[in-house]
Every structure is written in C-alpha cells, then in structure tokens.
Amino acid sequence: MATACKRSPGEPHSENIETSRMKRAAAKHLIERYYHQLTEGCGNEACTNEFCASCPTFLRMDNNAAAIKALELYKINAKLCDPHPSKKGTSSAYLENNSKGAHNNSCTDRKMNKKEMQGPRDDFKDVTYLTEEKVYEILELCREKEDFSPLIRVIGRVFSSAEALVQSFRKAKQHTKEELKSLQGKDEDKDEDEKEKAACSAAAMEEDSGASSSSSRLGDNTQGDNNLQKLGPDEVSVDIEAVRRVYNRLLSNEKIETAFLNALVYLSPNVECDLTYHNVYSRDPNYLNLFIIVMENSNLHSPEYLEMALPLFCKAMSKLPLAAQAKLVRLWSKYSADQIRRMMETFQQLITYKVISNEFNSRNLVNDDDAIVAASKCLKMVYYANVVGGDVDTDHNEEEDEEPIPESSELTLQELLGEERRNKKGPRVDPLETELGVKTIDCRKPLISFEEFINEPLNDVLEMDKDYTFFKVETENKFSFMTCPFILNAVTKNLGLYYDNRIRMYSERRITVLYSLVQGQQLNPYLRLKVRRDHIIDDALVRLEMIAMENPADLKKQLYVEFEGEQGVDEGGVSKEFFQLVVEEIFNPDIGMFTYDESTKLFWFNPSSFETEGQFTLIGIVLGLAIYNNCILDVHFPMVVYRKLMGKKGTFRDLADSHPEFVNLYADYILNKSVEKQFKAFRRGFHMVTNESPLKYLFRPEEIELLICGSRNLDFQALEETTEYDGGYTRDSLIIREFWEIVHSFTDEQKRLFLQFTTGTDRAPVGGLGKLKMIIAKNGPDTERLPTSHTCFNVLLLPEYSSKEKLKERLLKAITYAKGFGML
C-alpha cells in the first residue's frame, strides 16, 4: 500500500517557493524602476508624469523619501515613463540588467555594471550637497551642452532637502590636491552605496509602510565635519559670500530660479516639522545654515514667492528657538544697511501683499492670518539686527531708584480674592531683547531708520481693541502685534496705550465698589481734584502729594477736575484746561524750577532751584497723569529728558540738544582756538597747491578725505573684474583662477597687506578697487623666487608656480615680509 509523503508543518511546496521568489523579484524590479524615475527621471523635459523627476512641476525629494514613495507607487500601480531617447542608453541597460538579474540580483554587481555603462557621469546624481565650485562646474557643463536640466535637478534636490542644504556651502580649510581627490573618491563611493541601499531596501519596507523618514533627518551630519574650521559661539559654518556669488550667477536664469522656488515649497514644511517636533537646532546648531542660505536669495520678495513659497518659509523660520534667533540677529547685524533693507523689504512685501489681498475686519482678524503673523515674527529678527548693527550704547543707564515707589496700604481686589499682586513681574520685556542684551533705546542710530519697519496697510486693518486683549492675555493661540511694536505707527500704539489706561481706570472703579460693599466705606471711584484758579499749583500739588503718600493706587483712577466756584462737569475739557494752567505755572521762569534757552526754546532743570525734590516728583506725576488721561501738554524738553525717563543717562552727545551754547563754545576751543596758529600754517601750505582748482566747488569734505586718504571699503570682486594680464597670462589661465581663489580667501588684514604690496597703499581709490587697473604679468616658469611688484604702475610680477599650494605659500610670504627693498 502506497503511503503519501509527509511534509513538515509550514513547509512550502517547491513550486510555491519559486513562485513566491519570482513575485518578490518582479515587485523589487518595479519598485526600483519607480525609484529610478523619482530620483533621475525619464530624461524627457516635457514629461507630464507628476511622479517623474523630469516633470517640470516635480518636487525633489531625498533618497529615503524616494524609496518610500516608490513603494507607494508600486502599491497603486502608478504610471511608469518610458525612457526618453536621450537617456535610452543608460535606461535600457539599467532595465536589461534588472530583467536578466532575476537569478543574479546582487546590488554590488548592478552598481558595477551601472558605473561601467555610464562612463563619465554628467548627471551629478551623486551630488548630495553643494559647494560654490561644484555649482560652477555643473553650470559650465550645462552651458557647453546648452542644457541646464542637470543643474536644475541638482538645485531642486539639494535645496528641497534640509540635510543637504545644511551641509552645503560650508567654510572649509584648504586641502592639497591629493587630499581632495581622496575625499572625493570616498564621498562618491559612499553616496553611491547609500543610493543602492535605498533602492534595494525599498521592497523590504512593504511590511512596514508606516515607517517614517523623520528619524533619519539630518542624521549625524558628519559630512565634512573633520574638515571644518573651529567656530566660535556666534560664528556660522556657512560661507555667506560664496552663497551670494552663487545666487548672483544663477538667479538670472528663469528655469533655475523656478527650481529654487519649487524647492523652497517642498523644504519649508519639513523644516517647520523639524523645529516644532524634533528639536533639531539643539542637536545641530548648523541647522541655522539653511535659513542663512535661503535668505540670501534676493528674489524672495518677487510675486512668484509671495503666494506660497515665502509664507511657508516664514512659518518655518518663526519656529526657531530663541537662541537660534539671537544668533541669526547677531550675524545679520554685521550685514550692510542695504542687505538689512533687502531682508526687511522681503517680509514687508509679504505682509502688505497678504493685507491688501484679503478683507480683514472685526470678524476676520489680521491676527489670525498665519502668513502675516509668521512674517512679522521674522521681521522682528531683522529689526533687532538693525538695532544691534547700529550705533549702540548699552552703557550709561540710569540707576534704579533707591527708594521703591510706595504701594497702597489698602488691599487690592486681587488680594481680596486671594490672588497675587498685579504686575508682580514688572513691565513686559521682549525675550529676544533679553537674549541679545540690547534694547531699542540703546540704539542711537540704527542701520536703517526705524520708520521703515512700520507697515501702514497693516495698521489700517488692525483691530486694536482685539489686539490689546491678546497682548494682555498672552496665550500661544492668539498673536498680538503689540509684541512687535516696531511695525506699528505712533497712532496705533497710542490707541493700545489708551485701552490699557482705560482698563486700569475701570479696574480701580470696580475695586472701589468692592471696598464699599465689603468694608462699608463710601469711596470715590475717581481721582478728584478741587482747585482754585488763583492757587492752582498749591491746591493741585498739595492734593497730589497727599494721595501719593497715602494711597498711590488712586493715581490710576480717572482724573476728575473741578474748579472751585465754577459749574461744569469734567468730560475731559476741564482736565485739559487744568493741565494747561499747571504747565504755564510750573514752567514760568520766575518760579525758578527750570531754566529756558532762548535759542532752542527748550527747558532744562535748574540745578540751583530752591524747590524741594518733592516738588519735582509732583511735576513728574503731572506729566504721568497727562499721558494716562490722554492729554497733550505744551512742554518743551530736549530729547535727553525722555531718554532719561526710559532709563538712559545723558551723555556728551545729548548736549547738542540741551546746551548748544556750551557745546559750541567747548568745541570751538578744542577744534579751533586751541590750535589756531598750527592749523593756519597747515591750511596755507594746502592752498599754495590747490587755490586755483575748483576743489571747494566740486567736492564735499568727506570726498576730500577720499581724495587724500582713499577708502577702506575693499571690494576684491570688482578688482578681479577690472584686472588686466600680460606676459602670457589670461583671465582663464589656471594659475590666475587659483590666484583669485586664494586672494578671495584671505582675511581682511591679508587683503590689505596684498594691496600695500602691489599698489603701495592699503586703501582703495575714489570709486573703489574697480578703478585701480591692476596688471598681473607672467614672470617666468616655476621657481622658488617670491612674487614681486612695481607699485608705481600697480603691476604684480607672478612666476608660474607648479601648484596652488606653492602659489599661496609664496604669495603670503611676499606680502607679509614686504617691508624694504630688494625682497626677491
């Protein structure tokens, strides 16, 4: 009797094993095709497949994201492009290798075959980050072939990836050619291996399709870390000048600019997620680089960016932690006024665009517009950069009052209800101000005027009563533009102050009512002043002095003035008349509390006044009451008074406002009378040469200084553009290209030494270095001799050194030890 063969439980039939293996191979093959399509495209620039990298509207993604997307496309059986004729050589070989590889699907073998088939690669798919040199290399190739698609794809891939962008345009130390070659080889192998791993592991993700790529964001960020210079706490690792040069070269190409735009749309939400949930900045401070790089794009304020790209980027940027914001502010504070203005205009453009393209009202608040709120938060960073970069005096601060302001002896409403005393933490201070250690009042002169930061369209649509409520409540859900006061005009801010004053008055009134209920006392809900016209100062000041001593909280009540013997209800008009009369009396020179300067029409405190300190205190109260009750005073103080009120001491520079007679006499002595004989002789010699020239007619004094001393603003890019060559050198000579790379990498001090060596002075002529007309002439073949120069004619004699390293060493030695003659 035949017995059936027994099979162990779970043991599959051999045909099932083969079928399963073939299905996996087929699935893997299709997923790899999708991955190839997502990362490299089909090669057809007119491709309409939204899941193809060659499609103009396609948003670039990193390798991990492409692997996950390939798996999703496989599951839904998405469209696969046929290879375009321009790529058939690579694509058909790639597909043929895969179709034959059902029994030989080794990733290593396929990698070798691909390298052999592609020959010299010009698609730059191995580029995972950018340097200035790499951009120019790709750009040059694209120009030769009249096809910019490789560069567009690289820009799209790098600028849409936080990891790639953070690693791009790093400041790096100089390497020898051998080191660079070794590093490049290692990077190519590493990048190629990572790509193959991503493609090979895509099929294995099917069982875990929910896997997130966020865990791999930024990774260890080890690229080039060993080659980076050691940076200080406020330094950044990105080469900003290189980024600017790259943008300057690329943004003129419309298709390349579109690549920047599309990449920013893809990049921004991922960055926002990184900052909100993954705490990336604390793990890698270099994450700030991507914001620095993006903000150097001078086209950010153009209409194409305003609709989607810039709002998304602002939302991401507004999530930066406080320490990162402060570091960005300190970096930007070193920028020029024009660069600050460009960034300021970028965010102002977005705010204005969003304001005028929407209808905001009390039901549709501008505070609820995410783009406007985010742009305002970003504008704050530019504003503080403008402050820190200006003329700042963090010293000369008024000392705190030795005696604290007396508090009310009565219980407040909050204390009656078991709550803490109001304003226990003191007035609000912007956290960014605290982090920077600089206040707006510390800045005497910003890089650009404070008025340029005011956005009038925003002020027109801002519902200030609602905004003030958000300001007082301080919730994370509602944004108040009062936290960005620089964007508000004086009228809007004054309205916010009015609401604050009125709310305090109403609060004091409710407290009074509560007292009357709890303690049975009949208290006055107003600050009542009953005065006689002919004794207005005595009556008012005595009454205010009593209130200040007994219950200073009453000063926060609404003022109600009554003139004795006169009928009239104070609805504001009587108070205004009261203030006017008080001011006339207080500033009467006969009283002697203040001195008056006829030339400036300003008052100053009389240091010899017989009045007590208490009298001046009461005058301060009067001024405070006027502000609190929204009354305008006819007071004429120099600006230093208000600076002192805000906590700053007066300095010599403030004397020009308050004591111009004093300043003029003092300056006249120092600058004129004390050196009269010496200067007259000096001027006589100068006029012996220039008396018949139209010097005074044509030039301003600062231009005369330029004529005599030159400029210390050194633009070496302009010098390179105007330099001429002789003796066999041309602009395209290898040594000339290496020469300018070396010179541009010099420190400011080294650049000045170079100018001194070549031209005899470390200053630029009027008009800048572009007017210098320097000549670089060939001075023989490779040699151990140093470069020499003819300073009379701005000629640099440069031997054709055999390597860039030798050129740099010889040049540095020449300019460093150039004192004296015969240095060869």
Side-chain angles (χ1 to χ4, degrees):
M1 179 176 168
T3 57
C5 294
K6 292 185 178 180
R7 190 172 67 246
S8 300
E11 181 183 339
H13 289 290
S14 59
E15 60 269 22
N16 290 342
I17 296 175
E18 182 64 21
T19 301
S20 178
R21 189 187 64 76
M22 292 181 65
K23 285 182 178 179
R24 285 199 301 271
K28 179 173 175 295
H29 166 65
L30 282 173
I31 292 171
E32 287 173 346
R33 286 190 62 189
Y34 282 120
Y35 175 80
H36 180 77
Q37 181 173 288
L38 289 167
T39 55
E40 300 182 27
C42 66
N44 181 8
E45 290 188 11
C47 180
T48 59
N49 185 353
E50 61 178 322
F51 301 123
C52 178
S54 295
C55 179
T57 60
F58 179 79
L59 294 178
R60 288 289 169 181
M61 57 185 70
D62 59 35
N63 293 335
N64 288 325
I68 294 173
K69 187 66 176 177
L71 179 61
E72 295 174 358
L73 296 180
Y74 163 73
K75 288 182 177 180
I76 64 173
N77 195 25
K79 176 183 177 182
L80 269 170
C81 295
D82 293 326
H84 192 259
S86 64
K87 297 197 75 171
K88 270 191 175 177
T90 300
S91 300
S92 59
Y94 178 88
L95 296 177
E96 180 184 356
N97 181 67
N98 279 277
S99 64
K100 292 180 179 179
H103 300 283
N104 183 23
N105 55 8
S106 165
C107 292
T108 304
D109 291 342
R110 186 168 68 256
K111 183 179 79 171
M112 293 298 295
N113 291 338
K114 285 177 66 179
K115 281 190 174 181
E116 291 170 0
M117 290 180 295
Q118 287 177 335
R121 290 183 295 174
D122 58 6
D123 56 4
F124 302 100
K125 61 183 179 181
D126 60 326
V127 176
T128 57
Y129 63 92
L130 285 175
T131 63
E132 183 180 15
E133 293 75 17
K134 178 59 69 175
V135 171
Y136 295 158
E137 175 191 340
I138 302 172
L139 180 62
E140 188 63 29
L141 181 68
C142 292
R143 283 176 173 167
E144 290 176 2
K145 295 191 173 184
E146 298 183 352
D147 175 15
F148 289 91
S149 57
L151 179 57
I152 291 172
R153 285 196 289 272
V154 171
I155 292 294
R157 183 168 67 250
V158 172
F159 275 75
S160 64
S161 165
E163 305 94 293
L165 201 53
V166 165
Q167 296 180 38
S168 296
F169 305 107
R170 292 286 189 94
K171 295 176 183 174
K173 70 177 183 180
Q174 297 290 331
H175 292 285
T176 64
K177 288 185 177 180
E178 291 73 18
E179 288 175 330
L180 288 172
K181 187 174 181 181
S182 174
L183 287 171
Q184 184 179 5
K186 290 178 181 178
D187 285 344
E188 287 182 356
D189 292 340
K190 179 181 177 183
D191 294 339
E192 194 67 28
D193 289 341
E194 287 177 351
K195 285 185 172 184
E196 296 300 334
K197 284 180 184 177
C200 291
S201 62
M205 294 181 185
E206 187 168 4
E207 297 178 4
D208 187 21
S209 58
S212 169
S213 63
S214 63
S215 62
S216 65
R217 299 190 72 81
L218 289 179
D220 295 328
N221 195 24
T222 56
Q223 177 272 320
D225 282 351
N226 294 331
N227 305 323
L228 296 179
Q229 298 170 353
K230 191 170 183 180
L231 301 171
D234 287 335
E235 291 184 280
V236 293
S237 58
V238 63
D239 187 343
I240 299 173
E241 290 299 328
V243 173
R244 289 173 180 167
R245 290 190 292 267
V246 167
Y247 275 126
N248 189 49
R249 293 278 292 271
L250 300 185
L251 285 178
S252 58
N253 186 304
E254 187 175 334
K255 290 184 178 179
I256 297 178
E257 183 187 9
T258 302
F260 284 119
L261 173 66
N262 292 335
L264 190 58
V265 172
Y266 183 83
L267 170 75
S268 298
N270 293 332
V271 172
E272 183 181 0
C273 181
D274 279 347
L275 291 169
T276 306
Y277 302 109
H278 300 146
N279 200 25
V280 290
Y281 178 76
S282 63
R283 290 191 283 114
D284 181 16
N286 286 316
Y287 198 83
L288 200 63
N289 287 8
L290 72 86
F291 293 96
I292 299 169
I293 293 170
V294 171
M295 282 304 298
E296 288 302 324
N297 184 339
S298 58
N299 286 358
L300 282 180
H301 65 281
S302 61
E304 295 81 4
Y305 286 84
L306 293 179
E307 187 62 40
M308 182 180 295
L310 188 56
L312 289 174
F313 178 71
C314 287
K315 285 181 66 178
M317 189 173 177
S318 67
K319 303 294 184 182
L320 280 170
L322 198 60
Q325 293 184 35
K327 187 170 183 178
L328 207 50
V329 166
R330 287 189 284 264
L331 171 69
W332 286 347
S333 69
K334 300 172 185 175
Y335 285 15
S336 69
D338 288 340
Q339 290 162 338
I340 293 289
R341 181 176 285 105
R342 175 185 62 79
M343 292 191 291
M344 178 272 296
E345 290 174 348
T346 294
F347 297 123
Q348 290 281 38
Q349 282 275 81
L350 176 57
I351 295 170
T352 302
Y353 169 74
K354 289 294 183 180
V355 166
I356 64 177
S357 59
N358 291 277
E359 293 188 7
F360 294 109
N361 49 48
S362 58
R363 287 172 296 183
N364 180 30
L365 295 175
V366 67
N367 305 68
D368 294 328
D369 189 292
D370 290 341
I372 294 177
V373 168
S376 299
K377 291 179 179 178
C378 295
L379 185 61
K380 179 187 282 190
M381 293 180 237
V382 181
Y383 170 80
Y384 277 111
N386 183 51
V387 168
V388 175
D391 184 358
V392 175
D393 176 17
T394 56
D395 300 324
H396 303 104
N397 297 313
E398 289 282 0
E399 297 178 1
E400 296 291 333
D401 293 331
E402 294 182 3
E403 297 183 6
I405 296 174
E407 294 183 348
S408 172
S409 59
E410 302 287 346
L411 292 174
T412 66
L413 174 61
Q414 284 75 11
E415 289 170 322
L416 284 170
L417 298 176
E419 298 176 5
E420 295 184 357
R421 184 173 295 274
R422 292 166 296 167
N423 300 329
K424 190 172 183 180
K425 296 180 181 178
R428 181 188 296 213
V429 178
D430 192 285
L432 190 53
E433 266 191 4
T434 305
E435 185 76 15
L436 292 166
V438 174
K439 302 186 292 292
T440 296
I441 195 173
D442 294 333
C443 184
R444 286 185 172 271
K445 185 178 181 182
L447 290 174
I448 60 177
S449 68
F450 291 128
E451 287 74 20
E452 293 190 51
F453 284 86
I454 298 173
N455 190 293
E456 293 295 348
L458 173 67
N459 281 261
D460 292 340
V461 300
L462 184 61
E463 300 286 337
M464 201 58 195
D465 55 343
K466 305 286 195 313
D467 191 87
Y468 172 77
T469 303
F470 303 151
F471 179 73
K472 294 300 289 184
V473 174
E474 292 189 74
T475 64
E476 294 183 359
N477 298 328
K478 289 293 185 179
F479 174 80
S480 168
F481 287 95
M482 288 181 70
T483 60
C484 296
F486 55 85
I487 207 171
L488 306 178
N489 58 35
V491 174
T492 304
K493 287 188 282 191
N494 188 53
L495 188 56
L497 181 63
Y498 171 82
Y499 288 130
D500 188 74
N501 293 339
R502 282 296 180 262
I503 287 173
R504 289 179 184 274
M505 291 176 183
Y506 296 149
S507 175
E508 293 297 334
R509 203 174 300 170
R510 288 194 296 272
I511 292 172
T512 302
V513 173
L514 184 63
Y515 281 141
S516 64
L517 292 174
V518 174
Q519 300 180 352
Q521 300 179 12
Q522 192 66 32
L523 300 177
N524 196 329
Y526 297 96
L527 172 60
R528 285 189 176 273
L529 292 181
K530 191 172 183 178
V531 296
R532 296 167 294 177
R533 281 187 178 270
D534 53 349
H535 297 84
I536 190 169
I537 295 294
D538 293 337
D539 292 350
L541 296 188
V542 167
R543 174 64 178 149
L544 290 174
E545 185 175 19
M546 291 178 58
I547 294 172
M549 291 174 59
E550 296 176 0
N551 193 14
D554 282 355
L555 296 174
K556 304 293 177 60
K557 295 177 179 178
Q558 185 173 351
L559 180 64
Y560 191 94
V561 177
E562 180 182 349
F563 286 104
E564 189 175 85
E566 301 180 16
Q567 293 183 344
V569 178
D570 189 1
E571 296 290 344
V574 179
S575 295
K576 289 181 180 178
E577 185 182 6
F578 162 76
F579 281 120
Q580 179 182 348
L581 294 173
V582 168
V583 167
E584 287 178 359
E585 286 290 325
I586 288 175
F587 290 95
N588 187 334
D590 295 337
I591 294 181
M593 294 186 72
F594 296 91
T595 60
Y596 182 69
D597 190 314
E598 287 287 348
S599 62
T600 62
K601 311 297 182 184
L602 296 175
F603 288 93
W604 186 248
F605 300 87
N606 185 356
S608 304
S609 173
F610 293 107
E611 302 296 335
T612 64
E613 292 182 12
Q615 295 293 90
F616 285 97
T617 299
L618 294 174
I619 294 171
I621 291 175
V622 170
L623 264 64
L625 284 175
I627 294 174
Y628 193 60
N629 288 271
N630 205 33
C631 290
I632 304 298
L633 300 182
D634 185 22
V635 173
H636 302 278
F637 280 133
M639 184 56 62
V640 65
V641 170
Y642 305 104
R643 285 180 56 81
K644 287 169 69 66
L645 283 174
M646 294 295 104
K648 300 297 290 187
K649 283 185 176 180
T651 66
F652 179 80
R653 299 170 64 174
D654 295 304
L655 285 173
D657 290 331
S658 61
H659 297 74
E661 294 149 297
F662 178 77
V663 170
N664 286 341
L665 291 172
Y666 185 73
D668 183 56
Y669 176 77
I670 293 294
L671 301 177
N672 302 313
K673 290 184 178 178
S674 64
V675 295
E676 186 174 5
K677 290 190 296 184
Q678 295 90 336
F679 183 77
K680 280 187 176 180
F682 173 80
R683 184 181 58 188
R684 184 167 59 251
F686 183 74
H687 282 169
M688 285 181 181
V689 181
T690 64
N691 62 340
E692 294 182 359
S693 74
L695 199 68
K696 289 184 178 179
Y697 180 79
L698 295 176
F699 295 95
R700 294 178 286 111
E702 52 267 38
E703 291 172 331
I704 299 294
E705 181 191 24
L706 280 177
L707 289 178
I708 296 173
C709 304
S711 169
R712 292 189 67 84
N713 181 25
L714 306 179
D715 181 2
F716 271 73
Q717 195 65 43
L719 179 62
E720 178 183 355
E721 292 171 0
T722 57
T723 296
E724 298 176 356
Y725 304 93
D726 196 8
Y729 285 155
T730 68
R731 185 178 301 274
D732 297 321
S733 299
L734 175 62
I735 190 172
I736 295 301
R737 295 202 304 269
E738 292 175 341
F739 168 84
W740 286 115
E741 289 174 4
I742 292 169
V743 171
H744 288 310
S745 71
F746 279 173
T747 65
D748 288 344
E749 182 60 27
Q750 288 172 332
K751 288 179 178 178
R752 296 192 188 284
L753 288 173
F754 171 79
L755 279 181
Q756 183 77 47
F757 174 77
T758 310
T759 69
T761 176
D762 65 351
R763 300 284 187 103
V766 177
L769 287 180
K771 304 294 183 182
L772 197 58
K773 299 299 180 186
M774 187 175 74
I775 299 174
I776 300 179
K778 186 174 181 178
N779 193 23
D782 183 32
T783 178
E784 294 303 313
R785 292 184 299 130
L786 297 174
T788 55
S789 65
H790 296 304
T791 57
C792 302
F793 308 102
N794 304 330
V795 175
L796 175 65
L797 301 174
L798 188 67
E800 193 171 18
Y801 296 113
S802 57
S803 70
K804 184 177 181 180
E805 291 70 32
K806 186 174 182 179
L807 168 62
K808 183 176 183 179
E809 184 271 331
R810 297 278 85 187
L811 184 60
L812 277 173
K813 182 170 286 187
I815 66 175
T816 305
Y817 304 102
K819 296 286 180 68
F821 292 93
M823 188 70 179
L824 296 175

